[in-house]
Amino acid sequence: MSTITIKAYGATASTEDLKPLNIERRQVGQDDVKIDITYCGVCHSDIHTVRNDWKGSKYPVVPGHEIIGRVVEVGNGVSNFKVGDLVGVGCMVDSCHTCSACQQDLEQFCENGATFTYNSPNKHIPGTQTYGGYSTSVVVDKQFVLRVPENLDEAATAPLLCAGITTWSPLSHWKVKKGDKVGVIGLGGLGHMGVKFANALGAHVVMITTSPEKGEDAKKLGAHDVLISKNQEGMKKHQGSFDFLLNTIPVGHDMDPYLALLKIDATMVLVGAVEPLKPFHGGSIIMGRKRIAGSLIGGIKETQEMLDFCGKHNITSDIELINMQDINSAYERVTSNDVKYRFVIDMQSLKN
Ligand code: NAP
Ligand code: ZN
């Protein structure tokens, strides 16, 4: 199949910095939408993949799954998008559409394997893997393109495509409601969206953080209270009081201190630690009939619902806009816990 060559940024090995690369994109097919990328968010998963933390990374890795842009071309079979539309692409670009997961609008769990936006086998250009949004354009199946409300700030909308849906989905699945006491663990890209959403749903939101200096920001973002997880007195005071915990810690950790915060029958959802966790004490969940659950992004239908909710309630991310050339220092800052609260790349910087 014929392809076009475009500019991108990626890593050629787990120990290498990201650098300019040329990559191939497929030509627009019958059901495809071609998007000129204007902004792309920087997710901690991008870093995990570049550094091969989860194993199985294929190089070059071109990350980026918080993509915002304008439609520049559509295939003959596309009637729901037109040139000029403001659109987004999140963590997935394809799935089988026929398995029971896809039928339930849970494409992220496609039984035949969802095609993720980067580092998945590329069905259209065999022998290569998918390349993400650290690039000037992308060609995506119309069913994986999201409509972005025009009233929202374009750059600040990018992180909704991953950080947004990843925190929205568990809050929605576990039916967090007005008056619930909700703890969001970890104030980074995901955590700051979790605080905003839990607040918008009417919950009493407690930011649970290792960083006392983030306390004031947490309150500006919508937290009603701040709990420093290293402070044992404070942790004891909140013991047995939470209806729901959203845990965004990006690495394996000891869950026992957090489980102690849950009420009877309450749930802690893990989204961050996609790796072995430290052993936890069975008594931590047996006492109080508590639950630990997991969650992976969200389906396409749910992602659209989240974006529409954000449009209605004027919710976006708090971002630091960077040029593509600044990406390596941004990665250092994310891993050293110094991001307020999501980096977004201005893709114009790659086009110049
Ligand atoms: P991030 O911006 O780096 O935020 C993570 C936050 O966790 C940090 O700001 C820090 O907050 C806290 N933290 C970091 N190290 C910690 C430690 N050792 N112990 C306790 N707290 C710690 O990362 P992110 O982009 O929000 O992503 C979070 C994780 O979710 C990553 O692992 C990412 O790969 C994963 N993820 C999962 C999904 C999914 O679908 N399940 C989707 C996207 C991302 P404080 O300073 O407040 O403590
Ligand atoms: Zn992500």
Side-chain angles (χ1 to χ4, degrees):
M1 100 150 351
S2 63
T3 58
I4 53 161
T5 304
I6 62 154
K7 286 188 190 177
Y9 245 68
T12 51
S14 64
T15 49
E16 296 285 312
D17 274 354
L18 277 74
K19 61 182 185 200
L21 298 171
N22 287 324
I23 57 166
E24 304 296 308
R25 294 280 190 214
R26 68 179 187 266
Q27 303 274 11
V28 174
Q30 170 90 1
D31 293 316
D32 286 337
V33 176
K34 182 174 180 186
I35 301 159
D36 177 63
I37 301 174
T38 48
Y39 299 100
C40 184
V42 177
C43 179
H44 205 127
S45 303
D46 300 353
I47 304 173
H48 286 306
T49 308
V50 163
R51 301 194 172 160
N52 203 18
D53 290 342
W54 297 331
K55 309 299 172 208
S57 293
K58 296 243 166 26
Y59 295 88
V61 170
V62 175
H65 57 205
E66 295 184 337
I67 299 170
I68 293 287
R70 293 273 170 189
V71 175
V72 287
E73 194 183 337
V74 297
N76 291 333
V78 179
S79 54
N80 51 340
F81 293 103
K82 59 177 192 316
V83 171
D85 284 353
L86 182 64
V87 294
V89 177
C91 301
M92 298 178 284
V93 288
D94 207 357
S95 72
C96 81
H97 301 297
T98 54
C99 74
S100 82
C102 286
Q103 300 275 301
Q104 294 173 72
D105 295 307
L106 297 170
E107 300 88 353
Q108 71 273 35
F109 305 126
C110 174
E111 289 162 15
N112 295 301
T115 303
F116 291 95
T117 306
Y118 57 80
N119 217 56
S120 271
N122 187 334
K123 289 185 206 159
H124 300 271
I125 312 177
T128 68
Q129 62 276 20
T130 51
Y131 297 129
Y134 295 9
S135 58
T136 52
S137 66
V138 65
V139 177
V140 180
D141 183 287
K142 64 183 178 189
Q143 298 192 66
F144 286 80
V145 178
L146 285 310
R147 209 163 272 293
V148 175
E150 289 272 1
N151 61 310
L152 298 176
D153 177 80
E154 214 176 303
T157 303
L160 299 178
L161 276 306
C162 174
I165 184 60
T166 302
T167 49
W168 170 266
S169 181
L171 291 168
S172 156
H173 179 78
W174 291 95
K175 300 188 170 51
V176 164
K177 58 184 188 309
K178 198 171 164 34
D180 282 353
K181 183 171 172 181
V182 171
V184 178
I185 308 172
L187 185 49
L190 266 51
H192 95 289
M193 289 312 305
V195 168
K196 289 187 185 207
F197 285 142
N199 178 298
L201 293 169
H204 177 81
V205 186
V206 182
M207 182 69 237
I208 304 173
T209 175
T210 60
S211 311
E213 68 280 5
K214 292 183 185 171
E216 236 170 80
D217 278 357
K219 288 196 171 159
K220 283 189 205 137
L221 292 165
H224 302 96
D225 203 353
V226 177
L227 173 55
I228 310 300
S229 51
K230 293 171 182 161
N231 175 341
Q232 290 188 1
E233 277 290 292
M235 291 291 274
K236 207 163 172 199
K237 210 178 95 201
H238 286 266
Q239 211 169 320
S241 69
F242 282 85
D243 295 286
F244 186 78
L245 290 173
L246 178 59
N247 181 338
T248 77
I249 299 174
V251 289
H253 57 276
D254 177 9
M255 291 193 291
D256 287 326
Y258 300 108
L259 293 170
L261 298 173
L262 293 171
K263 271 184 186 168
I264 292 172
D265 281 334
T267 304
M268 174 166 83
V269 170
L270 295 178
V271 291
V274 194
E275 59 183 32
L277 286 134
K278 292 198 179 137
F280 69 96
H281 197 294
S284 295
I285 55 172
I286 290 171
M287 302 305 291
R289 200 164 56 187
K290 298 171 185 180
R291 285 176 292 225
I292 303 168
S295 195
L296 177 70
I297 46 174
I300 292 298
K301 181 164 174 265
E302 193 177 30
T303 307
Q304 189 61 61
E305 286 164 6
M306 178 272 313
L307 285 167
D308 295 344
F309 181 89
C310 289
K312 204 165 148 202
H313 296 267
N314 209 17
I315 295 174
T316 54
S317 271
D318 285 34
I319 64 161
E320 281 190 59
L321 200 59
I322 58 167
N323 288 332
M324 190 70 257
Q325 295 74 12
D326 301 328
I327 191 68
N328 293 304
S329 53
Y331 274 22
E332 289 312 315
R333 285 189 50 200
V334 172
T335 43
S336 58
N337 223 344
D338 174 29
V339 47
K340 291 192 165 81
Y341 280 93
R342 197 60 140 186
F343 287 112
V344 171
I345 306 158
D346 182 347
M347 215 46 76
Q348 192 55 45
S349 59
L350 184 59
K351 295 171 188 165
N352 292 334

